[in-house]
Amino acid sequence: MDRLRITVLDMQPIDPPVGGGRLRLMGLYSGMSDEVDVTYVGSFDWRGPEYREIRLSDNLTEIDVPLSEAHFAAHDALAKELGKGCIDSAFPLQGQLSVDLINRACVEAKKADAVIFSHPWLFPFVAPELEPERQLVVYDSQNCEGKLKEQLLDNGSAAARRICEAVIRSEYELCRAADLILACSEEDKAAFIELYGVVPDKILLVPNGVFTSRVLPPEAAEKAKLKEKLDISSQAVCFIGSEYDPNYEAAQLILEVAETLPRYQFVILGGVGERLKREKVPHSPNVRITGFLEEDEKTDYLRACDLALNPMLSGSGTNIKMFDYMAAGLPIVATDIGARGIENTNGRVYQLCGHEAAEIAEAVDGLLQNPERLAFLGMGGRREAELCYSWETISRHLGETLKREYLRKKNRKEKVLMVSTYPPERCGIGRYAQQQAAYLRNQGAQVDILAIRGNGDAHCAFTSVEDILSLRDYKTRYDRIIIQYHASFFYAGCETVERIRRHKAFAKVLADNPNIELVCHEITFPAEDEELGISAEEAAFEMLSVRDKWLSAGHILFHTEKEKNLFCEKLGLSEDDGRLELVPPNKYYVPECSLTKAEARQQLDIPENACVFLCIGFIQPHKAFDEAAAAFSKLQDPDKRLYIVGSLRYVTDDTLAYLEKLQAFSGKNNVTVIDSFVSDEAFDAWIIACDCVLVPYREIWSSGVLGRAKMLGKPCIVRNAGGLAEQLGSGDILFEEYEELPDILKNFDPRKA
């Protein structure tokens, strides 16, 4: 496609990027790909600066148009009535006074393919100029403003009410108009759904972050030099904050903490210090208040300090300061509000504390006296910042997402590459890929197949690191790459060292292309295995590269909640991670047979009036068809029959022995085993012909057989393995132990099913 033209609108400048809002703007929009041009239109919320236009990166231009004097005068009068400044929140009421800003915002919006509102302030004035049929409209929310402004401004006055109502009205209208809403945290996403009734699928989690390539942990000698340069003689605790009410509240709490811990130095960095100085807030001698700092000065302080504090008591979204701390390798003590939205599995990123000064002081003192814990948190935070919160990665991923969403809205035929086994290869995943490809083609997409085995437009066996890295060659040729992921496709026969090399190759491919989707089929994790000679240490080491691989992925799909939750538990991820999605196993299924039940029975030579149970699919030991046959043999009921239908997927000594075991049941007690490959049409015909599908699997996460049975309206008897219970309906039977099966089969009545 041609270069995507994006216009981002707000009423603050970006440069210099100080404070959470400006940092997010710089982080999100300065690192998009070469195929994206971003024009930012903002202003200054103080008198004095003149119009400017500056280039911030290869793809980001900033235009700032000053507010009018009439606007400042109107704000001063309203702020006096309210008792505090409100120039941003009151913009929906007063923005028409800054004609030059509104006009320039409208001009740049008209040029764009995608218009992004960072805050809802300018939306009421630009909305009439938008072309929703042509343009992608996006709300990049830094908070749920309606909820936050009521917390911060609503003091019961008429002025506060007018402002809050205008904020809520503007944000509500923007949420309705937007094709996509970017939220910083799950909390904000929930607030949009609750407050404005936003459809959840419309909201994309895009976390705040940090430029991890610019903020680096210091070596010990470097830290010592910085301490000397900044005249820090003792262990030092820092806090960063802009001049924002929740930061001021936290800074006052830190002053209380510092008074009880005189042996440590406390450094309060940033604009919040200007307010502390202006209001002449008293503090103990071990507190240093810097006021506003240039970025390199701030970084020096972060790298010189020994611990970071974030004792926030109010606010919304995630705190960008947390990512600065993490990137600098600083151990962190934070309240639940300060750490909101940042995963902390096994306490590896930060230490939580209470909201009272005494609780915070106890946490700070205890941590500073525990060098091992300090080092653990510092390294854990840095690693998490690199993997999950790097602006360099987040910006690139967002650019790809916006391009994809824009193309979808334009109804341009999406180009998709499907990586999978594929028919005629006898593989359930290959059949799933074929069905998904057909579904996408019906939606208007062009789908090409990169076949691991089977038919395809191209072929790759993925037997080496080089094969995996070759996926990078397809990045610019396709809008989306879908990988049907099963470990056996990419790691079969590999020793630990080779598996790690392939994990690292995947991590490179996934980090480079956020438009890759991984559809998970039976994920496995490294584990100690004496038979294979894998030690616990080897498994733990491999797990690090496994985690890096999955954290590099932009979109991961699962078929059951249980599998997704185990994935999160193993990798230490939040179950609310916005990259993870549930897709029903039968989403892409369509019936392959139009026979009636009577016609299907006649075709398959099944007695018309028998009660028929069916086990169908590739014959493999883990499917436990033998348990179904053994249970059925105990019935001695001439009116009930069991058919086991399928063929071996892999021919080995073990599978041949298993097939022989099944065949020993055939022809006795109304059990029939049919060892034959089943076509798609015949597969559905067997399901249509039966009264009940048996799924007695020993282990599995989801089942295509169960999905097809539910699509065709058949009741099922299913063992509670993996996530199978999530596929069941009200008329199905779930059992735990094979000893239960004889009674279940005996009592099953097709007339009541």
Side-chain angles (χ1 to χ4, degrees):
M1 65 169 287
D2 295 331
R3 297 173 70 84
L4 183 70
R5 297 166 299 172
I6 297 175
T7 293
V8 182
L9 305 176
D10 203 350
M11 58 152 299
Q12 62 183 326
I14 297 177
D15 190 61
V18 294
R22 295 195 212 176
L23 283 166
R24 181 173 174 87
L25 288 165
M26 179 65 92
L28 283 185
Y29 303 111
S30 66
M32 293 184 171
S33 74
D34 296 338
E35 298 174 356
V36 178
D37 285 321
V38 183
T39 300
Y40 174 81
V41 180
S43 186
F44 308 96
D45 55 6
W46 67 95
R47 290 177 172 90
E50 299 180 350
Y51 172 92
R52 69 176 184 177
E53 185 169 332
I54 53 177
R55 191 78 167 173
L56 297 180
S57 73
D58 290 342
N59 72 294
L60 174 60
T61 299
E62 176 179 0
I63 299 170
D64 294 310
V65 183
L67 302 181
S68 69
E69 179 53 36
H71 192 154
F72 280 117
H75 165 259
D76 292 345
L78 185 58
K80 185 176 180 181
E81 184 182 351
L82 181 65
K84 61 174 69 178
C86 57
I87 198 161
D88 58 349
S89 311
F91 197 93
L93 297 174
Q94 301 177 332
Q96 70 277 3
L97 298 173
S98 288
V99 176
D100 290 346
L101 171 60
I102 297 302
N103 286 345
R104 186 57 183 268
C106 290
V107 167
E108 297 300 329
K110 285 181 180 179
K111 298 177 184 176
D113 302 310
V115 182
I116 301 176
F117 293 87
S118 178
H119 291 105
W121 316 137
L122 272 73
F123 178 72
F125 307 100
V126 179
E129 305 299 325
L130 298 176
E131 301 176 55
E133 68 286 349
R134 177 182 72 82
Q135 294 174 311
L136 184 73
V137 179
V138 180
Y139 176 24
D140 172 19
S141 67
Q142 303 200 14
N143 304 283
C144 178
E145 296 296 341
K147 180 179 177 182
L148 180 63
K149 296 308 179 187
E150 284 199 322
Q151 291 174 357
L152 299 181
L153 297 180
D154 197 354
N155 56 13
S157 68
R161 212 51 253 148
R162 291 200 309 277
I163 295 169
C164 289
E165 287 173 359
V167 169
I168 291 171
R169 182 169 58 251
S170 298
E171 190 166 49
Y172 170 68
E173 293 295 340
L174 176 52
C175 286
R176 288 184 60 192
D179 299 295
L180 188 65
I181 298 171
L182 313 182
C184 296
S185 68
E186 282 290 343
E187 179 191 48
D188 285 351
K189 178 179 178 179
F192 286 124
I193 295 168
E194 179 183 355
L195 191 59
Y196 302 125
V198 175
V199 177
D201 289 348
K202 192 175 181 176
I203 305 172
L204 177 67
L205 283 178
V206 179
N208 285 319
V210 61
F211 289 103
T212 53
S213 61
R214 303 179 193 176
V215 183
L216 299 167
E219 298 293 337
E222 192 178 2
K223 181 183 279 285
K225 286 182 180 179
L226 286 169
K227 281 182 178 286
E228 183 178 356
K229 171 186 172 182
L230 298 171
D231 192 24
I232 296 174
S233 57
S234 59
Q235 286 183 294
V237 180
C238 65
F239 171 76
I240 307 172
S242 61
E243 196 168 335
Y244 168 56
D245 285 350
N247 285 331
Y248 183 67
E249 183 181 36
Q252 288 179 304
L253 189 55
I254 290 171
L255 297 183
E256 291 182 50
V257 173
E259 195 168 357
T260 68
L261 297 172
R263 61 185 172 281
Y264 305 128
Q265 185 158 5
F266 288 78
V267 185
I268 296 178
L269 310 168
V272 68
E274 303 293 345
R275 182 171 172 185
L276 292 170
K277 292 176 181 179
R278 191 169 59 247
E279 298 185 8
K280 298 179 179 178
V281 178
H283 58 80
S284 54
N286 62 328
V287 175
R288 181 183 302 181
I289 300 172
T290 69
F292 174 79
L293 293 172
E294 297 293 344
E295 193 66 20
D296 57 345
E297 294 176 307
K298 181 191 78 174
T299 301
D300 279 352
Y301 268 106
L302 289 175
R303 301 176 81 219
C305 286
D306 303 284
L307 185 145
L309 256 180
N310 197 28
M312 304 296 285
L313 302 179
S314 60
S316 175
T318 53
N319 281 194
I320 286 183
K321 63 175 71 68
M322 287 286 287
F323 308 120
D324 287 322
Y325 298 159
M326 290 159 63
L330 276 170
I332 304 167
V333 171
T335 57
D336 53 349
I337 296 172
R340 181 182 44 237
I342 301 174
E343 183 63 24
N344 192 38
T345 304
N346 300 323
R348 68 174 184 275
V349 177
Y350 53 82
Q351 182 164 317
L352 279 175
C353 64
H355 289 201
E356 300 297 325
E359 296 172 303
I360 298 167
E362 181 181 0
V364 168
D365 190 36
L367 193 51
L368 285 172
Q369 294 187 55
N370 187 341
E372 289 184 0
R373 178 73 174 154
L374 282 172
F376 174 79
L377 287 176
M379 288 188 293
R382 173 66 194 184
R383 185 176 182 81
E384 199 73 7
E386 290 175 336
L387 293 173
C388 302
Y389 302 109
S390 169
W391 280 134
E392 290 88 343
T393 301
I394 293 169
S395 180
R396 188 171 68 253
H397 283 198
L398 178 60
E400 297 295 337
T401 297
L402 294 174
K403 282 194 295 181
R404 184 171 65 248
E405 293 300 321
Y406 173 70
L407 289 174
R408 285 178 180 172
K409 186 165 186 179
K410 277 188 66 177
N411 290 322
R412 195 203 76 153
K413 182 174 282 192
E414 184 185 24
K415 293 185 68 177
V416 179
L417 180 69
M418 182 80 70
V419 181
S420 179
T421 54
Y422 210 73
E425 172 74 11
R426 295 183 179 184
C427 172
I429 296 173
R431 177 65 181 126
Y432 178 96
Q434 185 184 45
Q435 291 164 335
Q436 186 178 8
Y439 174 90
L440 292 171
R441 287 170 181 141
N442 287 336
Q443 299 293 309
Q446 173 191 324
V447 184
D448 294 337
I449 308 301
L450 178 59
I452 300 171
R453 294 185 297 276
N455 290 339
D457 301 283
H459 297 81
C460 183
F462 291 100
T463 56
S464 68
V465 166
E466 290 70 28
D467 284 351
I468 293 169
L469 291 175
S470 71
L471 286 168
R472 294 183 296 189
D473 299 339
Y474 297 95
K475 176 182 176 181
T476 58
R477 293 155 56 184
Y478 292 91
D479 301 310
R480 184 161 44 132
I481 297 175
I482 300 173
I483 299 175
Q484 305 294 341
Y485 182 89
H486 191 284
S488 67
F489 294 170
F490 306 102
Y491 300 96
C494 290
E495 299 292 334
T496 301
V497 172
E498 177 62 17
R499 284 198 304 274
I500 290 173
R501 291 181 67 238
R502 296 191 190 187
H503 294 320
K504 291 182 180 296
F506 257 121
K508 289 179 182 178
V509 170
L510 296 171
D512 184 56
N513 188 354
N515 289 332
I516 294 178
E517 294 180 4
L518 292 147
V519 183
C520 296
H521 303 270
E522 306 289 327
I523 289 186
T524 57
F525 300 97
E528 181 178 7
D529 192 317
E530 291 183 6
E531 289 186 13
L532 295 177
I534 300 173
S535 67
E537 292 76 14
E538 281 182 301
F541 186 68
E542 183 182 353
M543 193 65 173
L544 293 175
S545 59
V546 169
R547 187 169 190 271
D548 287 353
K549 173 181 72 177
W550 290 109
L551 285 174
S552 299
H555 197 186
I556 308 169
L557 293 88
F558 299 90
H559 292 125
T560 66
E561 186 82 32
K562 193 170 182 180
E563 184 176 19
K564 186 191 85 161
N565 292 349
L566 179 64
F567 175 87
C568 293
E569 178 188 330
K570 291 285 189 181
L571 298 181
L573 301 179
S574 167
E575 292 177 7
D576 297 322
D577 190 320
R579 301 172 305 129
L580 312 183
E581 182 181 346
L582 280 179
V583 177
N586 60 351
K587 177 176 180 177
Y588 307 115
Y589 292 177
V590 293
E592 301 287 352
C593 175
S594 58
L595 296 175
T596 65
K597 183 176 180 179
E599 290 169 341
R601 288 199 171 194
Q602 184 176 12
Q603 179 177 300
L604 297 169
D605 195 24
I606 296 173
E608 182 179 353
N609 297 317
C611 174
V612 174
F613 297 89
L614 176 68
C615 290
I616 190 168
F618 287 116
I619 293 175
Q620 301 178 79
H622 78 270
K623 293 188 176 180
F625 292 167
D626 57 302
E627 295 286 358
F632 200 87
S633 297
K634 297 176 182 179
L635 293 188
Q636 303 295 321
D637 186 337
D639 295 326
K640 292 184 175 179
R641 294 173 178 260
L642 171 65
Y643 288 85
I644 298 174
V645 182
S647 60
L648 295 179
R649 180 179 177 187
Y650 303 113
V651 179
T652 67
D653 290 344
D654 288 343
T655 58
L656 286 170
Y658 183 69
L659 176 59
E660 187 177 342
K661 180 179 180 179
L662 287 180
Q663 288 172 332
F665 289 100
S666 191
K668 304 171 187 175
N669 301 311
N670 287 337
V671 176
T672 302
V673 177
I674 300 175
D675 171 21
S676 175
F677 178 73
V678 186
S679 69
D680 296 335
E681 184 177 357
F683 198 103
D684 280 5
W686 274 104
I687 293 176
I688 291 167
C690 78
D691 293 291
C692 179
V693 175
L694 283 181
V695 185
Y697 298 168
R698 293 183 171 93
E699 56 183 13
I700 203 164
W701 280 112
S702 62
S703 165
V705 171
L706 185 51
R708 298 201 72 78
K710 300 320 301 173
M711 176 189 69
L712 294 168
K714 289 296 175 178
C716 299
I717 297 173
V718 180
R719 184 168 178 268
N720 190 12
L724 296 185
E726 297 175 38
Q727 293 184 245
L728 303 188
S730 57
D732 300 316
I733 299 171
L734 187 70
F735 70 94
E736 299 287 343
E737 304 297 337
Y738 292 115
E739 289 78 8
E740 303 171 48
L741 254 184
D743 285 340
I744 293 172
L745 297 171
K746 178 181 178 181
N747 295 325
F748 180 84
D749 186 343
R751 294 168 298 181
K752 298 179 181 178

